Amino acid sequence: MSRWPGNAQKERTTFGGLRRNQLMSRVRSIGNLTTEKRLATLLRAAHLTGWRRHQPLLGRPDFAWPKAKVTVFVDGCFWHGHNCGRNLKPRTNVQAWRDKIERNQTRDRRTTRALRERGWTVIRIWECSLARKPHYCVDRIRRRLEERSRA
């Protein structure tokens, strides 16, 4: 049973009279495009090549270098529960959001572990790190790629 207020099965929205659960089922996310585009721009500027976006791998990483077996996930601070001091705590439905974020964190840990067991290097970059220290993020990726190419 959902902890969200209201009844998603019955409540109508202003979007063509769809019920809330119908509307939300149509939402397809490929990720946070703003942060992904920012990282893609930085990777191009750093002349890092060979990456692909949205490879059909476990967890759907944002970037992958298939030959080097390196994946990068750009995690949003709110959705993945980063305690970075940006005051991203929900004010309504607190317990439901807390449960959702905990499930995301559990899924992230499971995905990282499974990819590593399959021989992939997994890099997780926080949205705030990408904004504050973009070159550090690119350097982390570059170092991992160099390590994998030497191995």
Side-chain angles (χ1 to χ4, degrees):
M1 184 64 136
S2 175
R3 292 188 187 169
W4 296 101
N7 186 338
Q9 305 288 317
K10 295 180 181 175
E11 287 182 10
R12 296 273 177 195
T13 67
T14 58
F15 296 95
L18 294 173
R19 291 188 302 273
R20 184 166 29 114
N21 65 335
Q22 292 172 323
L23 175 66
M24 295 309 289
S25 72
R26 287 174 167 80
V27 174
R28 296 288 177 246
S29 176
I30 300 179
N32 185 342
L33 291 180
T34 306
T35 54
E36 287 179 30
K37 285 182 179 179
R38 172 115 171 96
L39 184 55
T41 300
L42 291 167
L43 293 173
R44 286 185 194 105
H47 304 290
L48 289 177
T49 60
W51 50 271
R52 301 287 174 258
R53 292 185 61 190
H54 310 296
Q55 289 287 286
L57 293 168
L58 181 66
R60 301 274 301 180
D62 299 310
F63 297 88
W65 283 261
K67 290 181 182 177
K69 290 187 88 170
V70 172
T71 62
V72 174
F73 292 88
V74 183
D75 293 338
C77 295
F78 175 78
W79 296 105
H80 297 268
H82 191 220
N83 190 12
C84 61
R86 290 177 54 208
N87 196 22
L88 297 173
K89 305 287 185 220
R91 293 187 183 142
T92 58
N93 304 321
V94 175
Q95 189 58 47
W97 279 112
R98 191 174 298 140
D99 293 345
K100 165 73 174 147
I101 292 167
E102 285 176 11
R103 285 191 309 271
N104 288 350
Q105 291 172 328
T106 301
R107 184 194 64 221
D108 292 344
R109 284 189 298 271
R110 194 176 326 120
T111 299
T112 298
R113 186 173 37 248
L115 284 170
R116 286 183 176 155
E117 287 171 358
R118 294 175 182 160
W120 287 83
T121 296
V122 178
I123 301 170
R124 289 197 173 269
I125 295 176
W126 289 107
E127 171 187 25
C128 62
S129 296
L130 188 60
R132 293 180 193 155
K133 302 178 275 185
H135 296 293
Y136 170 76
C137 298
V138 172
D139 287 342
R140 276 183 63 201
I141 296 167
R142 183 190 315 276
R143 284 192 309 269
R144 293 288 194 250
L145 289 169
E146 289 171 357
E147 289 170 7
R148 292 301 292 236
S149 68
R150 284 192 299 258

